[in-house]
Amino acid sequence: MKILLKGVISIEELQPLYDKSIECLHCKEPSTTKKIRSRFIKVARYDTDFCPIYKNPTANALYYYIHVCPHCGFSFSEDFSRYFPPTTQEDIEEKVCSKWNPHHFSDERSIEDAIKTYKLASYCGALKKEKHIIQAGILLRIAWLYRFQKKQEQEKRFLKLALLEYEASYSTGDFSGTQVSEVRILYLAGDISKRIGNTQAAVKYFSMVLERQKNAMEASIIKMARDRWHEIKEESVTSNLAAHA
């Protein structure tokens, strides 16, 4: 049954996507971008690196994580800081804005569109000297999108790039003050290391997580690290048995 009040949209007519007004961090021009209404976002499960697997793949919130300014091309997420270090805006103007062929990503996005927006944001973030932890999150999400496409080489490529940024964030401490904790960074470094085939590094990082379990508030991550650590040990035993069979 539809609601007949003037100006009120019925539940049946409500669309997953809506327009959100944004202001470009660089040029300050206003525009709109699409977002998915939370009621339509249904996660079936998460991969071990926190990649969300949606019940309805067409309502994938990852596609709309990045804002692309249609006026200047500067691309960013809501996690970007508003501060631009000296000379970075000039670099962005020269390397992004002056080469920008005005177009927009403000309509419904395909997975290919989404990948383009993330790569633009990664480039802009590098020019802006955005924190390593922010760059790591962007690169990890690109890997997830390639995982959805089953493009393993590209997924592995961006997992490696994300790992470098997580390691840089950990060593510099630039995750401090963000929603990403030390335990979460170490866990992700371990999980990514395992995914790219570096089990020695994975064991090291998972062990570092377990060493912090007394002071860590994230019991679920501690459990995940323990489970992953045991998986590696079991795989090692199985491999050794097979080698001597």
Side-chain angles (χ1 to χ4, degrees):
M1 184 176 73
K2 294 186 178 182
I3 299 171
L4 300 178
L5 293 176
K6 185 177 180 181
V8 178
I9 300 175
S10 72
I11 293 175
E12 290 91 339
E13 293 172 342
L14 193 64
Q15 298 298 312
L17 294 176
Y18 69 96
D19 288 325
K20 179 177 180 178
S21 298
I22 60 168
E23 179 185 87
C24 178
L25 294 180
H26 175 66
C27 74
K28 306 302 182 184
E29 287 288 338
S31 61
T32 62
T33 189
K34 294 291 186 190
K35 289 288 185 181
I36 298 181
R37 289 185 170 88
S38 58
R39 72 182 66 184
F40 290 94
I41 301 173
K42 307 293 184 183
V43 179
R45 61 180 177 83
Y46 291 92
D47 283 345
T48 55
D49 60 356
F50 308 115
C51 174
I53 308 300
Y54 294 96
K55 290 182 179 178
N56 180 4
T58 62
N60 191 324
L62 289 172
Y63 291 8
Y64 304 95
Y65 181 75
I66 300 297
H67 309 315
V68 179
C69 177
H71 305 286
C72 72
F74 185 73
S75 305
F76 58 101
S77 75
E78 292 178 6
D79 297 323
F80 274 43
S81 72
R82 302 190 71 84
Y83 171 69
F84 286 79
T87 75
T88 56
Q89 286 196 287
E90 289 82 354
D91 284 345
I92 291 166
E93 196 67 36
E94 176 188 351
K95 296 175 181 176
V96 177
C97 305
S98 67
K99 297 174 170 41
W100 180 245
N101 180 21
H103 61 287
H104 61 82
F105 290 91
S106 59
D107 294 326
E108 184 174 353
R109 293 177 184 174
S110 65
I111 191 168
E112 289 80 11
D113 291 333
I115 289 171
K116 289 177 184 177
T117 67
Y118 279 98
K119 288 181 177 179
L120 284 168
S122 178
Y123 183 56
C124 289
L127 293 174
K128 184 180 177 294
K129 296 181 170 60
E130 195 57 65
K131 287 183 175 183
H132 294 293
I133 193 64
I134 303 302
Q135 287 287 76
I138 290 173
L139 293 164
L140 180 59
R141 286 171 173 83
I142 297 175
W144 291 348
L145 293 175
Y146 279 123
R147 186 179 304 166
F148 296 154
Q149 292 186 316
K150 302 187 186 306
K151 293 183 178 179
Q152 295 180 353
E153 287 187 12
Q154 288 296 328
E155 177 192 349
K156 192 171 183 179
R157 174 191 169 202
F158 282 94
L159 284 175
K160 288 179 178 178
L161 293 172
L163 178 59
L164 291 174
E165 293 292 339
Y166 278 121
E167 290 174 332
S169 179
Y170 178 71
S171 64
T172 61
D174 78 357
F175 61 90
S176 178
T178 72
Q179 294 182 340
V180 184
S181 67
E182 178 186 49
V183 165
R184 192 179 183 92
I185 286 180
L186 290 171
Y187 171 79
L188 278 169
D191 188 273
I192 294 170
S193 294
K194 186 176 188 306
R195 286 176 178 274
I196 63 177
N198 190 342
T199 54
Q200 186 175 354
V203 168
K204 178 188 77 172
Y205 285 121
F206 290 141
S207 297
M208 290 172 73
V209 172
L210 297 177
E211 287 168 5
R212 289 158 174 76
Q213 61 185 313
K214 289 184 179 180
N215 300 319
M217 301 296 291
E218 297 156 298
S220 61
I221 294 181
I222 300 297
K223 182 181 183 304
M224 291 170 71
R226 187 179 294 110
D227 290 345
R228 301 293 277 158
W229 188 89
H230 283 302
E231 280 178 23
I232 293 172
K233 292 300 181 183
E234 288 172 5
E235 288 169 3
S236 177
V237 170
T238 302
S239 177
N240 287 336
L241 289 173
H244 294 88

